[in-house]
Amino acid sequence: PNNDKAPMKFVAKNCHEQLLYSGVFEAVAIRKQGFPFRLSHEEFEKRYSICLGKTSALSNQSSVKGRCKLILNEMKCDPKNTRIGSSRVLYRAEEHKKLELRRSIKVKNQEITDALRKLSRVDANTMSPNERESYFIRLAEAVAEADKFRVKTPDANKARKLLEAFVEARMDPKTKKDLQKAYDSKDLKLLKTVLARCEKEGYRTKLTRNCQELLSKIEDAEAALAVAMKTMEEDHLEKAVAMCDEFQYKGVHANAGRQMLKNVRKAKMGITRAMSKMKRKWLNQAVAFCDSIGLDNSQVQECKLIAQKVNVCHKMLTAAKKAVDLRKLEKSLKACEKIRYRSPLEHEVRGLCFRVRRITEELQSGWKYCREEQVRAVVAAADEIKMPGDDKIKKWRALVYGNYDDFLREQYQHAKKQKDHDRAVRVMVRRKDLLIQEKGDQFLLHKYPKLKEPLVWAKEKWWGSSEKRAANMLRFQWESLHAPLTTELNALRETDRRSYKLIARKVTACFETIQKYMGQRNTSRMPQRIKELIADALGTEQVRTNCYISFIKQCTENPDAEKNEKIPRVWELLALCLSIFPPSEDFEDYLEAWLRKPSVKENGDKHHLRGLLRSAVYSGADTKAASISMEELQDVKQVLSHRVDPMRFARPKYAKSGENAPNWTDLTKSYYQKGATLNSKNVERFS
């Protein structure tokens, strides 16, 4: 069929349409649903009863219909394809093929058995030589047919014995020897050769049949081994090896099959173990072993995929551990979590990631504060794990390992920006400690640039020895101060002598107040004198520097320092002054240097003079202090207790554990040794 109506031209589409539209497909479908084979009960029993043989079950059935039903059941026919009516048995083509095949086999066996029975009952001894030869030829053909269909009835066995006796009498010794050798050795090539010779000569004995059966088993085993070794399926290999073991076959392929089965089982066990534990080493070993034996099934493919993913995770973990980068660490752990991969390296990277995350958290939270303890803990923790970090951690490293004064200046700026005034003061005290430690010799009082020349100052008093006064300019003196000690008022002396005298009088009055407070002079109006000193210093900046120089002067080489119990009171008055007004900017470092002298430091620290000085410089003069009443000034200690909080100047001591411990306490513990405090001095500096 085609659209051109041309001969010898076939178009599949047109043919399909013809069959479809003509209803052939529907007719076939209807026909398939029916039962085309229909025999009466008697015909069905007569034709197929041979399939069951002479069984008692069949004779026990009284009715024909029952015997038909028994035949169908014994033949295991599908009930869907068979029906037993009141007079007929109906069945479809599939069951018809099964019944006919079984019947043909039974009929053929019966025919062979009948022929053998007839031949075996003949007495060959009474025959002539030609008849005897012809008889054994027919007997050999019948036995060959019986062997072909594996007929093993008593008549068939009797015929085989007759033939064997005849053949063995005629078989040459070499062929018999080769047959026995082939049978014992199970050599496939030798079996084929000797059996071909026997077939050619017509030798058919028990030994030849045994060899023939052995050859069939070997060929079947070799075929099974070939299929099993090609597919490398465990169940196929087991069956093939079982076939070989059944008759102790140990050929080359059989031994190879046994070894392959052993390898496949070993590979399966290795894959199961590796995939259950998800160990990279085991997975790679399992994959390598499977590749070495050429095994490549679905289980191996799955193992290879997992091994590939695990190797990728291991590579990512190794790179992340080396880089100590939070993003890479988290990415590698996410990849491990995706395939649920766990290993010592993954555990280590997980701990490292937590450590890096904690360092980053403390870096972010402490960036705006720049606390020294937190900075050092973060940097030491980062250096311990060799964490390169970002620009922030690099800046903190520069602060920790750089100039300490730069570190303190950075802390001061952050404290000031955060309006943490007490911390700013504490940091500046430490900065000044460092400055005086390094450059203290530059800030000795006699090197103060605005200090008058000793002889010039001494000659401002007309009587007495000028040389003696000049030598004691910066030392304790009993008499009153005759003139200011600095040159701050020199310009004013030339332009406004009246103002100069007024300020100079305030300076000398300040000196006298210090003398009187120290017990070197008597007074009944000490609170008033102190109030006047405070008012003069707050009102006139030039008084402040001279006031603090006066304190230094009267504490230097004081002859009554050890005798007069009132002299130590000078520290109380000095603390009160420092809590109210600062010295001039150019003099503060000289006062700082003096407060750190060994002879002064003990009393100075007792009254927190360094902290008060930096607080005064930081906050400026306290003008509200002018309102302190004379009644309050009766007890300077009491005034100081209200004005000075010692905790402001104490460096905070952070708890190592507990609720009061700072957030970064965990970073002070070594990452590698649980519970050990991290000593930054022992940590190798990370470059």
Side-chain angles (χ1 to χ4, degrees):
N2 56 79
N3 294 333
D4 300 332
K5 296 183 179 180
M8 304 302 293
K9 184 177 181 181
F10 178 82
V11 179
K13 182 181 178 182
N14 291 12
C15 182
H16 179 269
E17 289 177 352
Q18 273 190 3
L19 295 172
L20 179 64
Y21 298 145
S22 63
V24 173
F25 291 149
E26 286 78 359
V28 171
I30 293 170
R31 184 66 175 172
K32 285 174 67 177
Q33 291 177 0
F35 297 89
F37 297 94
R38 305 179 181 189
L39 295 177
S40 65
H41 293 166
E42 291 77 9
E43 291 174 337
F44 185 84
E45 179 192 5
K46 182 179 179 181
R47 184 168 183 81
Y48 298 115
S49 61
I50 192 175
C51 296
L52 270 63
K54 296 179 180 180
T55 61
S56 58
L58 192 63
S59 60
N60 291 338
Q61 294 291 333
S62 58
S63 64
V64 179
K65 185 175 181 180
R67 290 192 289 273
C68 293
K69 187 175 182 181
L70 179 63
I71 292 171
L72 290 175
N73 291 338
E74 290 294 327
M75 293 296 294
K76 297 181 180 179
C77 295
D78 190 352
K80 295 180 180 179
N81 296 330
T82 61
R83 295 287 187 276
I84 299 179
S86 58
S87 60
R88 290 182 178 274
V89 178
L90 294 80
Y91 49 97
R92 294 193 173 115
E94 185 176 349
E95 273 57 37
H96 176 71
K97 292 178 183 178
K98 185 185 296 184
L99 290 167
E100 286 297 320
L101 177 61
R102 185 69 174 270
R103 181 180 179 279
S104 298
I105 293 173
K106 288 290 185 179
V107 169
K108 186 65 177 177
N109 286 347
Q110 188 62 44
E111 290 176 353
I112 293 172
T113 300
D114 293 341
L116 288 172
R117 185 185 301 114
K118 182 179 179 181
L119 289 170
S120 62
R121 290 178 179 177
V122 175
D123 186 6
N125 295 323
T126 60
M127 297 181 182
S128 64
N130 291 336
E131 290 176 345
R132 182 181 176 85
E133 186 73 19
S134 176
Y135 166 75
F136 278 107
I137 290 173
R138 285 185 284 113
L139 182 62
E141 291 175 353
V143 170
E145 191 79 5
D147 291 343
K148 181 179 178 181
F149 287 92
R150 298 177 182 178
V151 178
K152 295 183 179 181
T153 61
D155 294 323
N157 293 334
K158 183 179 179 181
R160 288 189 182 97
K161 288 179 180 180
L162 289 173
L163 183 62
E164 286 172 8
F166 176 74
V167 172
E168 284 183 2
R170 298 180 61 189
M171 184 182 295
D172 62 286
K174 185 177 183 306
T175 302
K176 186 184 293 186
K177 183 178 179 180
D178 290 343
L179 279 171
Q180 190 63 46
K181 182 180 179 181
Y183 183 80
D184 293 338
S185 65
K186 299 182 179 66
D187 187 329
L188 179 63
K189 185 176 180 181
L190 184 58
L191 278 169
K192 287 182 177 180
T193 303
V194 71
L195 285 174
R197 192 193 313 161
C198 291
E199 187 69 25
K200 182 178 179 181
E201 297 295 333
Y203 297 151
R204 189 167 299 278
T205 65
K206 182 178 180 180
L207 183 58
T208 58
R209 283 197 300 277
N210 291 340
C211 289
Q212 190 66 49
E213 290 178 0
L214 180 61
L215 177 61
S216 298
K217 289 180 179 180
I218 292 175
E219 287 177 341
D220 291 345
E222 288 286 348
L225 285 169
V227 173
M229 293 178 71
K230 183 177 180 180
T231 60
M232 296 188 74
E233 293 290 340
E234 185 180 5
D235 55 342
H236 293 172
L237 285 167
E238 287 178 347
K239 291 177 181 178
V241 170
M243 290 175 67
C244 296
D245 292 341
E246 185 179 353
F247 59 98
Q248 292 82 40
Y249 179 51
K250 296 181 180 180
V252 176
H253 293 159
N255 292 333
R258 290 187 180 94
Q259 184 61 41
M260 181 174 287
L261 177 60
K262 184 178 178 181
N263 290 337
V264 168
R265 285 173 175 170
K266 181 180 178 181
K268 185 178 179 181
M269 186 183 300
I271 289 172
T272 303
R273 183 185 71 160
M275 292 178 67
S276 63
K277 298 295 184 181
M278 289 289 284
K279 286 191 175 183
R280 187 179 70 91
K281 181 179 178 181
W282 291 358
L283 285 166
N284 289 335
Q285 287 177 346
V287 170
F289 184 74
C290 291
D291 290 341
S292 67
I293 65 174
L295 182 61
D296 189 21
N297 54 28
S298 59
Q299 189 181 20
V300 175
Q301 291 293 337
E302 184 181 359
C303 183
K304 285 183 177 180
L305 181 61
I306 293 176
Q308 183 181 5
K309 291 180 179 179
V310 167
N311 287 328
V312 170
C313 288
H314 181 81
K315 186 176 180 181
M316 292 174 67
L317 289 170
T318 304
K321 178 186 174 183
K322 185 177 180 180
V324 197
D325 180 78
L326 182 60
R327 186 181 63 82
K328 291 182 178 179
L329 289 167
E330 289 178 341
K331 186 177 180 181
S332 63
L333 289 173
K334 187 176 180 180
C336 293
E337 194 64 33
K338 190 174 181 181
I339 63 172
R340 298 180 180 179
Y341 174 55
R342 296 288 184 272
S343 70
L345 178 61
E346 184 269 346
H347 180 74
E348 183 181 354
V349 170
R350 190 175 295 278
L352 184 63
C353 181
F354 177 78
R355 188 72 166 184
V356 172
R357 192 181 292 117
R358 283 290 300 120
I359 292 171
T360 306
E361 288 173 358
E362 289 303 322
L363 178 64
Q364 298 297 336
S365 65
W367 180 254
K368 62 181 180 180
Y369 299 105
C370 194
R371 301 184 188 91
E372 181 172 350
E373 294 80 2
Q374 187 176 18
V375 171
R376 289 190 182 278
V378 169
V379 171
D383 288 352
E384 186 187 27
I385 60 175
K386 298 183 179 180
M387 173 183 172
D390 55 8
D391 293 338
K392 290 184 178 180
I393 195 70
K394 290 177 182 177
K395 183 175 180 180
W396 274 16
R397 276 198 181 97
L399 292 175
V400 170
Y401 298 121
N403 191 326
Y404 187 48
D405 186 62
D406 294 339
F407 191 5
L408 291 173
R409 182 172 61 251
E410 191 74 17
Q411 295 180 56
Y412 174 77
Q413 292 174 356
H414 280 77
K416 192 174 180 181
K417 187 176 180 180
Q418 296 299 320
K419 297 182 180 180
D420 189 349
H421 307 307
D422 292 344
R423 179 166 167 253
V425 169
R426 291 194 299 269
V427 172
M428 283 307 299
V429 169
R430 291 159 63 193
R431 284 195 70 191
K432 291 301 179 181
D433 289 342
L434 190 63
L435 175 66
I436 302 306
Q437 183 182 354
E438 294 177 355
K439 302 179 180 180
D441 293 342
Q442 299 179 17
F443 299 108
L444 298 176
L445 183 58
H446 67 274
K447 294 182 180 181
Y448 179 49
K450 292 185 179 181
L451 193 68
K452 289 181 179 179
E453 290 294 329
L455 195 57
V456 173
W457 174 77
K459 288 182 178 180
E460 290 187 32
K461 187 175 182 179
W462 295 350
W463 64 88
S465 173
S466 299
E467 289 77 7
K468 187 177 179 180
R469 279 196 300 273
N472 295 323
M473 177 182 176
L474 298 178
R475 297 175 186 169
F476 172 84
Q477 68 181 41
W478 289 101
E479 62 272 14
S480 301
L481 196 68
H482 66 277
L485 296 166
T486 63
T487 60
E488 292 176 308
L489 300 175
N490 287 356
L492 186 63
R493 184 178 184 178
E494 301 296 331
T495 58
D496 189 351
R497 193 165 183 79
R498 183 177 178 183
S499 298
Y500 168 76
K501 288 183 177 181
L502 179 62
I503 296 174
R505 194 176 298 116
K506 291 181 179 179
V507 172
T508 56
C510 173
F511 185 81
E512 290 178 2
T513 301
I514 295 172
Q515 285 182 315
K516 291 174 180 178
Y517 195 82
M518 293 176 71
Q520 296 164 4
R521 288 177 180 272
N522 295 323
T523 180
S524 60
R525 297 180 294 173
M526 195 70 246
Q528 182 181 349
R529 292 290 187 183
I530 296 174
K531 188 171 180 64
E532 289 173 357
L533 184 153
I534 294 171
D536 292 343
L538 289 173
T540 308
E541 291 185 7
Q542 293 87 341
V543 174
R544 301 176 187 176
T545 300
N546 281 277
C547 176
Y548 289 120
I549 294 176
S550 298
F551 277 109
I552 298 174
K553 176 179 172 62
Q554 288 306 98
C555 290
T556 304
E557 298 183 15
N558 189 321
D560 293 336
E562 301 296 333
K563 301 176 184 178
N564 194 338
E565 62 181 8
K566 294 184 179 180
I567 290 177
R569 294 177 62 196
V570 69
W571 308 112
E572 297 173 3
L573 184 60
L574 179 56
L576 180 63
C577 292
L578 286 173
S579 70
I580 296 174
F581 56 88
S584 61
E585 185 177 352
D586 58 358
F587 182 70
E588 63 179 66
D589 287 338
Y590 294 88
L591 183 56
E592 293 276 11
W594 179 74
L595 290 175
R596 285 162 177 79
K597 291 181 67 175
S599 59
V600 178
K601 192 173 183 302
E602 181 179 355
N603 288 308
D605 291 347
K606 182 178 179 180
H607 292 84
H608 314 290
L609 299 184
R610 289 183 297 161
L612 289 171
L613 172 56
R614 295 320 312 166
S615 179
V617 173
Y618 181 80
S619 303
D622 183 8
T623 56
K624 295 180 180 179
S627 62
I628 300 175
S629 65
M630 287 189 292
E631 288 77 9
E632 292 175 313
L633 291 173
Q634 289 286 348
D635 188 351
V636 175
K637 284 186 177 181
Q638 188 67 24
V639 175
L640 284 173
S641 67
H642 288 97
R643 291 188 61 80
V644 179
D645 179 11
M647 297 305 297
R648 289 180 57 202
F649 312 120
R651 190 171 179 179
K653 295 182 179 180
Y654 299 103
K656 294 183 179 180
S657 60
E659 296 180 356
N660 298 325
N663 294 334
W664 64 84
T665 302
D666 60 319
L667 296 182
T668 61
K669 306 282 185 174
S670 173
Y671 169 68
Y672 298 104
Q673 186 176 357
K674 185 177 180 181
T677 303
L678 180 62
N679 186 354
S680 59
K681 294 181 181 179
N682 296 330
V683 176
E684 181 182 359
R685 181 173 175 180
F686 178 67
S687 58

